[in-house]
Amino acid sequence: EMGQYTVITLSMKGIQASKAKNQEDQEEQEDPNEQLKNQLNDFKSMMSELYVQHLYLLEHLDPIQAKRFNDVREEKTNESQLISSFKNLILLMERYHKRKVVVLLDEYDTPMLDAFYGGFEEDFNGFYRAFIGNALKGNKSLRLAVVTGIMQIAGAGLFSSFNNAAVFNLL
């Protein structure tokens, strides 16, 4: 199997709207709406960087697809476009390489924990559920995804429709 699939590596480590590190800092946090906006901007930056890594795809796109690609790359997306950006990149990579894609998603739970501690979990979870769900659930361009974090994905309660995961914990 080695070398047979295209791989996308994505780390959510840098997605942190809340800059509070301890209890005292948490009391002085920004407004939850501002933190949500910051978190979504971090997602735009993350996806932009990922699209830049795969800039070679741009040469093989029609004008409409190229505009969508550039909108993500230039961080000019709305929330709906941002939600579909990960899935679209997987699809474009499969078409270009003519192989299914493997996704390595590290620290998937960092944005969720940040939203929880920042007080904007309810507003953020809908976005995150759609972002991850669209990319991983039922995506025919995906060979497999390896998702890591400190919370067990089945126990996270966020991905109720994500029922085809095999969980391997430390034990």
Side-chain angles (χ1 to χ4, degrees):
E1 296 287 310
M2 189 169 150
Q4 296 300 309
Y5 303 99
T6 303
V7 177
I8 296 177
T9 304
L10 187 61
S11 174
M12 300 281 187
K13 182 179 182 180
I15 306 290
Q16 290 184 312
S18 171
K19 305 306 178 207
K21 302 297 180 209
N22 60 43
Q23 188 68 25
E24 292 171 11
D25 288 344
Q26 287 180 2
E27 293 171 5
E28 300 173 19
Q29 281 183 347
E30 296 176 38
D31 173 43
N33 291 328
E34 188 65 28
Q35 289 187 64
L36 175 62
K37 183 180 172 185
N38 291 343
Q39 187 115 324
L40 293 178
N41 285 336
D42 281 353
F43 268 89
K44 285 182 182 183
S45 296
M46 175 186 69
M47 291 310 299
S48 173
E49 290 172 20
L50 195 57
Y51 271 59
V52 167
Q53 289 175 17
H54 300 283
L55 207 52
Y56 60 89
L57 296 170
L58 195 54
E59 299 171 15
H60 304 280
L61 302 178
D62 67 45
I64 293 171
Q65 290 173 323
K67 182 184 179 335
R68 288 182 190 148
F69 189 98
N70 282 323
D71 284 349
V72 175
R73 187 173 58 93
E74 296 168 5
E75 299 183 35
K76 295 180 180 176
T77 56
N78 61 35
E79 189 173 321
S80 177
Q81 294 164 322
L82 185 57
I83 285 170
S84 62
S85 63
F86 195 22
K87 180 180 182 177
N88 290 342
L89 182 62
I90 294 169
L91 175 66
L92 293 173
M93 289 181 68
E94 186 213 15
R95 286 183 184 162
Y96 177 83
H97 294 286
K98 297 179 178 41
R99 296 179 182 167
K100 300 284 184 196
V101 177
V102 172
V103 171
L104 305 176
L105 180 58
D106 190 26
E107 297 195 40
Y108 85 95
D109 49 357
T110 298
M112 290 172 31
L113 292 169
D114 190 56
F116 175 77
Y117 290 116
F120 58 98
E121 176 184 25
E122 191 173 308
D123 296 324
F124 175 71
N125 282 353
F127 163 79
Y128 198 53
R129 182 180 296 117
F131 180 82
I132 296 294
N134 281 347
L136 304 184
K137 179 75 174 175
N139 187 343
K140 296 189 186 316
S141 298
L142 188 66
R143 168 71 170 104
L144 88 110
V146 178
V147 181
T148 65
I150 58 170
M151 293 188 327
Q152 183 171 309
I153 195 161
L158 180 65
F159 308 111
S160 59
S161 64
F162 190 53
N163 56 7
N164 58 343
V167 177
F168 301 96
N169 62 29
L170 186 60
L171 299 176

